[in-house]
Amino acid sequence: MLYEVLDVLSLTKHPYFAAHDAESFNMVLDTADSIAEKTMRPFYKENDRLQPELINGQVTVHPALHDYYRSFCQSGLLAAPFDEKYGGQQLPKTVYAAANFIVGNAHNGFEMFTNLASGAARLLISFASDELIEKYVTKLLSGQWTATMSITETQAGSSLSDITTMASPQADGSDTPGSYRIKGQKIFISAGDHDITENIVHLVLARIENAPKGIKGVSLFVVPKNRFHSSPPLVRLRGANDVGSIAIYHKMGQRSTPAMHLEFGSNNDCIGYLIGQAGKGLAYMFQMMNNARLGVGLAGTYIATAAYYASLQYAKERPQGRRLNNKNAEEPQTTIIHHADVRRMLFLQKAIVEGSLAFLLQCYKYTDLEKISGGNDKQRYNDLLELLTPVAKTYGAEMGIVSVNNGLQVLGGYGYTDDFILEQLARDVRIMSLYEGTTGIQSLALLGRQVPMNNVRALQYFKDEVNKVIEQARQFNNLQSYSGWLLHELLELDITTTHLLNIAVKGNTEVFLSDATLYMELFGLVCVAWQWLKQAATVQKILEKSNTSKDDELFYQSKIETMQFFFHYELRKTKALHERLKDEKVLTVMKENEVLM
């Protein structure tokens, strides 16, 4: 994917990435693989049973999590995609995402800690004052401190404009300019408390006293678990900052990562520091959330990949029954991989995980291209990311769940027991469609904001990208029918989108967005078909130009066959989605005095 399909080495032609080559990229992947094997995979099941504990106001986590965090940070991976001036290596995010895929596949709970620290550091670099950057970023990227996104509140949920956590300006003479007293509670805070590092940096959404209601009244603050003061060249911790752990939520999955109920300022002594301008908190936080959304899609994909390989191994080893055309009971049983329905489930898993990975890495490459581009090209890649991020998050999350469930089904009754890893993967993957905005919220964003924005400019860029692949695939005889198929799907998507936007013009927003989730499903199918056709065209180009080994040829042929499976089994679903989205019968919008269900 990195070298043959995405050609990541082309990025190294730009000065920003010029220090890298295939050797350095492979070293990053090898490092991730080593960390995964030594500090992550051996503890996956054990951490599910030995969960974090809240004792006397302090959370303790499994010792293996300490080892992972230390190894990951000391290897330089945490800081790798950052600028050299922050101790980074200016590694392309595409390659960094591949490394995250490797470690997340080994243990999807541990990887959340490092991703939160990375995301918080990037947000601070983008929007915080030089003083805050100097105090916090180096310690986050070195692994000395960790971080959280402290967003959700009980009464607000995903309606972030309704948060009530308050920030009161400090009186003159406070130790740091822009400091506020923070008071409120936050729920579901991943890695919100633990004993891995000496400090935890909470990024807290709060409302400054007398701020206007709604989104414009929400600001963003740095709230450390422990306060400190500068005494060059050392920074010394100065005790607690009135951030209390009320409870740990007992989760269905991802149990190694504590999800916390936190209270800020129960003793009126919690100090936070304003990031950027007052009232811009949600805009700042969306940068971290958008990056996290790609990460959640990737997480759904790497969990599903672990399930695919586990069920594939089982299917190759488990004898049961005979092929349906064989009526001879005297012959030994065949392994279940020979049964057509099992093969269908394995094909489906492969089509989902490899298609989703391709789609997500494509999005990460757009982030790299945006970084090194200027003018119209920069705007184009930004538009593509804005459009495709909610789709990539949703496909990886929702179809990751579908994929894992099919893996569990391959194992039959054994899949439902903790003797095999599938039941834990099924519990872990389920949260992905909820993290960073539910599927419904992502769908509203796609159809309600990203698609119509700037006169559907981003959608046009997307169609241009897909058409490039269609033209490439059309050169090969065995791909011409699939090229025409995807072109038809692109035209149908355009027709359905226009139909829905015409409803929006009439001003009935509820009707326009009532089936946004179905539109998201449709869009995701087209996106992954695009990526499968791209892989198939790459394979044909390789096979026609070079001599390949028998093993490589089998690998490439499996790509072609999986592309065909995706088109013939998954892309077929678009017909029903188009018909529903253009159906004028509206059933889900609540009517006046309606008796529900």
Side-chain angles (χ1 to χ4, degrees):
M1 285 304 308
L2 291 178
Y3 297 122
E4 294 176 336
V5 180
L6 292 168
D7 187 20
V8 291
L9 289 177
S10 64
L11 294 170
T12 64
K13 296 175 183 178
H14 190 277
Y16 187 80
F17 297 124
H20 291 285
D21 54 20
E23 183 179 2
S24 67
F25 290 165
N26 289 339
M27 189 178 299
V28 167
L29 301 179
D30 288 342
T31 299
D33 191 53
S34 176
I35 291 171
E37 287 302 316
K38 292 176 182 177
T39 69
M40 302 179 78
R41 187 165 281 114
F43 304 99
Y44 179 60
K45 295 187 75 170
E46 182 179 311
N47 293 154
D48 186 61
R49 290 154 179 77
L50 301 177
Q51 301 178 45
E53 293 183 295
L54 175 59
I55 302 173
N56 297 325
Q58 173 64 52
V59 174
T60 59
V61 298
H62 194 284
L65 227 170
H66 294 244
D67 295 336
Y68 157 71
Y69 204 85
R70 182 170 58 252
S71 298
F72 193 91
C73 297
Q74 289 177 352
S75 73
L77 281 178
L78 183 62
F82 286 82
D83 290 357
E84 290 176 352
K85 65 180 178 180
Y86 301 115
Q89 303 168 23
Q90 297 181 185
L91 179 76
K93 288 186 180 179
T94 315
V95 179
Y96 188 71
N100 269 337
F101 179 85
I102 291 170
V103 296
N105 176 275
H107 198 311
N108 62 79
F110 282 9
E111 192 254 0
M112 290 182 66
F113 284 81
T114 42
N115 263 358
L116 284 164
S118 175
R122 194 169 301 283
L123 184 148
L124 290 169
I125 289 169
S126 298
F127 304 115
S129 65
D130 291 341
E131 182 180 9
L132 290 178
I133 291 172
E134 183 179 352
K135 284 184 176 180
Y136 292 97
V137 169
T138 300
K139 287 181 169 51
L140 288 171
L141 294 182
S142 67
Q144 188 174 342
W145 294 350
T146 56
T148 75
M149 301 168 65
S150 292
I151 299 175
T152 308
E153 296 178 11
T154 303
Q155 82 293 338
S158 298
S159 181
L160 298 180
S161 60
D162 293 320
I163 65 169
T164 59
T165 296
M166 295 301 298
S168 305
Q170 285 252 74
D172 291 342
S174 61
D175 57 355
T176 304
S179 62
Y180 292 73
R181 291 196 180 276
I182 308 298
K183 191 172 185 62
Q185 296 186 11
K186 299 288 183 177
I187 61 171
F188 303 144
I189 308 306
S190 295
D193 195 10
H194 52 77
D195 57 346
I196 300 173
T197 55
E198 62 185 358
N199 208 359
I200 302 172
V201 181
H202 301 288
L203 299 186
V204 180
L205 286 178
R207 191 178 300 281
I208 296 174
E209 283 184 357
N210 301 317
K213 292 183 179 181
I215 291 174
K216 294 181 179 179
V218 178
S219 300
L220 184 61
F221 299 85
V222 174
V223 183
K225 178 181 178 180
N226 292 297
R227 297 208 293 270
F228 61 93
H229 64 87
S230 298
S231 179
L234 301 175
V235 175
R236 301 170 182 168
L237 294 178
R238 198 181 67 190
N241 189 29
D242 197 10
V243 180
S245 293
I246 295 177
I248 299 179
Y249 288 97
H250 299 287
K251 300 186 293 181
M252 174 180 172
Q254 285 210 313
R255 293 173 173 173
S256 62
T257 306
M260 300 304 303
H261 183 168
L262 300 179
E263 182 169 17
F264 298 88
S266 64
N267 298 310
N268 296 314
D269 192 31
C270 179
I271 306 301
Y273 309 99
L274 180 66
I275 297 174
Q277 299 178 38
K280 300 286 187 180
L282 272 178
Y284 299 155
M285 186 57 84
F286 269 119
Q287 183 210 63
M288 187 173 177
M289 291 174 69
N290 268 336
N291 186 62
R293 282 167 180 160
L294 286 179
V296 171
L298 190 67
T301 305
Y302 56 59
I303 294 172
T305 303
Y308 166 59
Y309 282 106
S311 61
L312 177 63
Q313 179 182 351
Y314 183 88
K316 289 178 177 179
E317 297 173 353
R318 166 68 168 167
Q320 184 172 302
R322 293 157 190 84
R323 297 185 66 171
L324 295 180
N325 289 338
N326 183 0
K327 307 298 182 183
N328 187 355
E330 298 297 324
E331 289 190 10
Q333 296 186 85
T334 188
T335 49
I336 62 174
I337 198 170
H338 291 92
H339 298 315
D341 193 57
V342 172
R343 291 178 64 80
R344 178 191 60 79
M345 290 187 285
L346 293 170
F347 252 132
L348 178 60
Q349 291 178 75
K350 181 178 173 65
I352 289 170
V353 299
E354 294 182 11
S356 182
L357 178 61
F359 183 26
L360 282 151
L361 291 178
Q362 180 73 68
C363 290
Y364 279 109
K365 189 177 182 186
Y366 287 147
T367 67
D368 290 326
L369 291 170
E370 181 189 14
K371 176 77 176 179
I372 61 177
S373 299
N376 291 336
D377 283 342
K378 191 177 190 70
Q379 169 249 304
R380 177 169 169 266
Y381 293 125
N382 180 266
D383 280 2
L384 282 167
L385 278 168
E386 288 290 315
L387 176 71
L388 296 179
T389 291
V391 188
K393 185 270 184 188
T394 300
Y395 189 89
E398 288 286 2
M399 296 309 293
I401 295 169
V402 170
S403 183
V404 175
N405 285 339
N406 274 269
L408 192 151
Q409 187 76 15
V410 169
L411 272 68
Y414 283 115
Y416 200 62
T417 71
D418 61 12
D419 298 287
F420 291 87
I421 204 171
L422 271 296
E423 66 86 24
Q424 186 178 340
L425 291 168
R427 289 187 285 107
D428 286 353
V429 78
R430 187 60 189 85
I431 187 64
M432 296 306 158
S433 65
L434 308 178
Y435 274 152
E436 304 308 325
T438 62
T439 296
I441 288 172
Q442 304 299 327
S443 304
L444 292 173
L446 172 66
L447 181 57
R449 184 168 61 247
Q450 266 73 24
V451 168
M453 189 180 293
N454 298 314
N455 294 317
V456 298
R457 184 176 67 196
L459 186 62
Q460 185 57 54
Y461 289 146
F462 168 71
K463 291 188 291 185
D464 292 343
E465 294 286 290
V466 178
N467 276 315
K468 287 178 190 175
V469 171
I470 290 172
E471 288 303 312
Q472 292 167 6
R474 190 172 281 157
Q475 302 171 31
F476 305 104
N477 290 334
N478 64 326
L479 298 182
Q480 286 182 0
S481 63
Y482 296 100
S483 300
W485 190 339
L486 185 55
L487 179 60
H488 171 76
E489 293 292 343
L490 202 57
L491 294 172
E492 288 295 310
L493 177 65
D494 215 21
I495 292 168
T496 298
T497 302
T498 300
H499 169 80
L500 293 171
L501 292 177
N502 285 337
I503 295 174
V505 170
K506 297 175 183 177
N508 196 333
T509 305
E510 275 197 311
V511 173
F512 165 50
L513 296 175
S514 60
D515 284 332
T517 300
L518 299 184
Y519 183 82
M520 171 68 82
E521 184 180 352
L522 171 66
F523 209 113
L525 287 166
V526 174
C527 285
V528 177
W530 160 46
Q531 289 301 310
W532 268 116
L533 189 63
K534 185 175 183 178
Q535 290 185 71
T538 303
V539 164
Q540 288 303 127
K541 187 175 181 181
I542 292 169
L543 291 175
E544 290 190 6
K545 287 191 174 182
S546 63
N547 294 322
T548 57
S549 68
K550 185 176 181 180
D551 284 346
D552 283 350
E553 189 170 342
L554 285 172
F555 171 81
Y556 289 131
Q557 188 58 38
S558 78
K559 287 289 186 181
I560 297 291
E561 290 184 4
T562 311
M563 178 276 294
Q564 293 173 340
F565 178 90
F566 187 87
F567 272 70
H568 288 278
Y569 279 78
E570 288 295 288
L571 201 56
R572 294 283 189 197
K573 297 174 181 177
T574 61
K575 184 176 181 180
L577 291 167
H578 283 297
E579 290 185 4
R580 173 54 241 169
L581 288 165
K582 290 185 286 189
D583 192 332
E584 295 184 0
K585 185 67 173 177
V586 178
L587 295 169
T588 56
V589 174
M590 189 171 181
K591 301 176 180 64
E592 197 75 25
N593 300 320
E594 181 180 19
V595 177
L596 282 178
M597 313 305 178

